[in-house]
Amino acid sequence: MSSDTCDMEGDPEQQEMIHNKKNVILVDGIILNGPTTDPKAGEKFVEEACRLIMEEVILKAPDVKEKVCEWQPPEQLKKLLDLEMRDTGEPHQRLLKLCQDVIRYSVKTNHPRFFNQLYAGIDYYSLVARFITEALNPSVYTYEVSPVFLLVEEAVLKKMIEFIGWKEGDGIFNPGGSVSNMYAMNLARYKYCPEIKERGLSGLPRLVLFTSAESHYSMKKAASFLGIGTQNIYFVETDSRGKMIPEELEKQVQQARKEGAAPFLVSATSGTTVLGAFDPLDEIADICTRYGLWLHVDASWGGSALMSRKHRKLLHGIHRADSVAWNPHKMLMAGIQCCALLVKDSSDLLKRCYSAKASYLFQQDKFYDVSYDTGDKSIQCSRRPDAFKFWMTWKALGTLGLEERVNRALALARYLVEEIKKREGFRLLLEPEFANICFWYIPPSLRTMEEGPEFWAKLNLVAPAIKERMMKKGSMMLGYQPHQGKVNFFRQVVISPQVSREDMDFLLDEIDLLGRDM
């Protein structure tokens, strides 16, 4: 016997190959023996991709010398990215190059000078939590398949309920504040007329709801989606700061009743998207109590102020709400998406409203306590373990660390406001009460012009032009919009703890640099 033959006989892998060839099982011409993937190659790809993420995303996140974005118009970006899916797979080195291109041309929302949305920055603990959940790929509906994450969600919801000021309650994490608002609207309707779940809309009175003129657009979408209709939303007038006027709300409720409609819901806002306004919850709650209306508070943006002993007064009266939407992925940086709907009711109203009792998931004769199978409270089947991201951040920072995150963001906002007041060419729309700073930049060419129609028409063009220049330069990203009859202005939002006073100074300097020749 040759040495080669002896080596082969002693090699377990070779022996396995010979054994498999002798015992091949074919079905429809497909060999079923053994796995078809190459674990070693897959592991190597993951390792190299993680190294790329570390080097190109995480390590560069706090570096202000990096670009916020490398802007390319859509047609040019299509040429730069290999978007076509082919019949055969591509080698790993090519895939890694694609990963690098995706990172290169994506907006760096974790950059200290990304101010464009109501989320920003990088929280390292939440990021690790996301890595874990992506690797485990769980779905949070039953305890048997997601034991850890269901217990985590229960613990986080309980703690959030405490901060609202309720002694008990219920809740669920949803894919976005818009979905939480829709849940609340449907829950309020179900409480008003439970028969709707089985009988549908036929035979119901004209159901109407009330929200402020500054409320999030998801209220319109929810009314449309749920068959209530956008014409059955009464938009209540706000004051000059964007807060709902309680007296106007009561007039609208009375008017709706005179029209023969059936009011069932008031949705107040704690932290409006543009102005950062907080509705007067106590006065609104009084009206809801008087007329038997469900009070929902959309605190998707402003809810995080509850973590701060200094600033929680912004949400005074929130404990009187029947439901609250709160997004920890915004100011608390739990990572998109991380959004909870919290409900004061503890009688299983959520489950009664949404359950379908799927017998293949929610068997009642399981060997454990099936009350932990909470998935039937959701309109989803598959659901991500979003609470885990917030839990990990909370564990790492503690309540005091989260409080400091809120306090620092609002202190930076106050610093920016005072700097705007000092600088020529910058003008506040209003004194902010939260982290939304709304202001105009008036270039030198307009500073001596009379503030008539021509002035405002020209000023309307300034913010979009500066936004274009900053994005093509890649120096920062800042949002702008017209609003309630006011021409385009900038909305600066401070969130990330990576942001410093120097970044606030840079923001104003850069706007002046980009716009002084207009």
Side-chain angles (χ1 to χ4, degrees), residues 83-364:
L83 297 173
E84 183 182 351
M85 284 74 74
R86 299 177 176 83
D87 291 340
T88 56
E90 301 184 36
H92 282 180
Q93 286 307 309
R94 175 65 185 147
L95 296 177
L96 289 168
K97 174 63 168 60
L98 290 172
C99 291
Q100 198 162 24
D101 288 342
V102 167
I103 294 169
R104 177 181 177 182
Y105 294 113
S106 291
V107 174
K108 310 306 186 291
T109 64
N110 46 29
H111 193 287
R113 291 169 182 171
F114 174 81
F115 306 117
N116 209 65
Q117 314 297 150
L118 298 183
Y119 69 92
I122 182 169
D123 179 88
Y124 299 103
Y125 308 104
S126 164
L127 183 61
V128 168
R130 281 180 276 173
F131 287 161
I132 291 170
T133 56
E134 290 300 322
L136 290 172
N137 197 32
S139 182
V140 186
Y141 33 55
T142 62
Y143 183 82
E144 63 186 283
V145 296
S146 194
V148 174
F149 298 118
L150 274 167
L151 294 181
V152 165
E153 182 174 69
E154 179 186 58
V156 173
L157 288 169
K158 183 179 179 182
K159 201 71 174 174
M160 294 175 80
I161 283 167
E162 287 178 16
F163 273 86
I164 289 172
W166 299 333
K167 292 182 180 179
E168 55 184 356
D170 199 358
I172 196 160
F173 275 78
N174 299 308
S178 295
V179 174
S180 293
N181 288 336
M182 185 181 73
Y183 265 75
M185 189 180 294
N186 193 47
L187 195 62
R189 182 174 65 174
Y190 175 78
K191 180 71 183 290
Y192 184 83
C193 45
E195 64 275 11
I196 192 172
K197 182 176 178 180
E198 294 181 357
R199 297 182 186 175
L201 298 173
S202 59
L204 287 178
R206 179 189 162 219
L207 296 173
V208 298
L209 62 110
F210 308 84
T211 191
S212 95
E214 295 277 342
S215 65
H216 192 259
Y217 67 84
S218 60
M219 299 307 295
K220 287 183 180 179
K221 290 197 171 191
S224 173
F225 186 84
L226 294 171
I228 292 168
T230 57
Q231 289 185 354
N232 292 315
I233 304 175
Y234 285 70
F235 289 101
V236 182
E237 186 181 342
T238 60
D239 64 18
S240 60
R241 299 187 58 80
K243 299 170 179 286
M244 185 191 292
I245 301 171
E247 295 79 11
E248 292 300 320
L249 169 63
E250 187 156 26
K251 286 179 187 176
Q252 294 263 36
V253 172
Q254 292 170 348
Q255 180 62 33
R257 283 183 158 189
K258 286 179 184 176
E259 293 170 359
F264 74 102
L265 166 69
V266 173
S267 180
T269 310
S270 288
T272 58
T273 307
V274 177
L275 301 180
F278 287 73
D279 289 339
L281 300 181
D282 247 344
E283 295 168 74
I284 292 170
D286 287 342
I287 294 167
C288 290
T289 300
R290 201 148 49 238
Y291 294 94
L293 305 175
W294 181 287
L295 174 57
H296 172 64
V297 177
D298 177 7
S300 297
W301 171 221
S304 297
L306 289 169
M307 305 298 295
S308 167
R309 285 165 290 185
K310 181 177 182 180
H311 298 292
R312 64 175 293 119
K313 62 180 180 289
L314 290 167
L315 298 102
H316 180 73
I318 196 169
H319 65 286
R320 300 179 64 186
D322 295 291
S323 57
V324 174
W326 177 1
N327 293 2
H329 76 228
K330 295 184 186 293
M331 187 168 282
L332 298 178
M333 298 174 59
I336 289 178
Q337 50 207 9
C338 188
C339 313
L341 173 71
L342 304 153
V343 182
K344 184 186 287 185
D345 176 90
S346 57
S347 69
D348 258 350
L349 183 68
L350 258 178
K351 189 172 182 179
R352 295 200 308 275
C353 180
Y354 290 109
S355 67
K357 300 178 181 177
S359 60
Y360 71 94
L361 273 179
F362 304 111
Q363 305 93 330
Q364 296 303 296

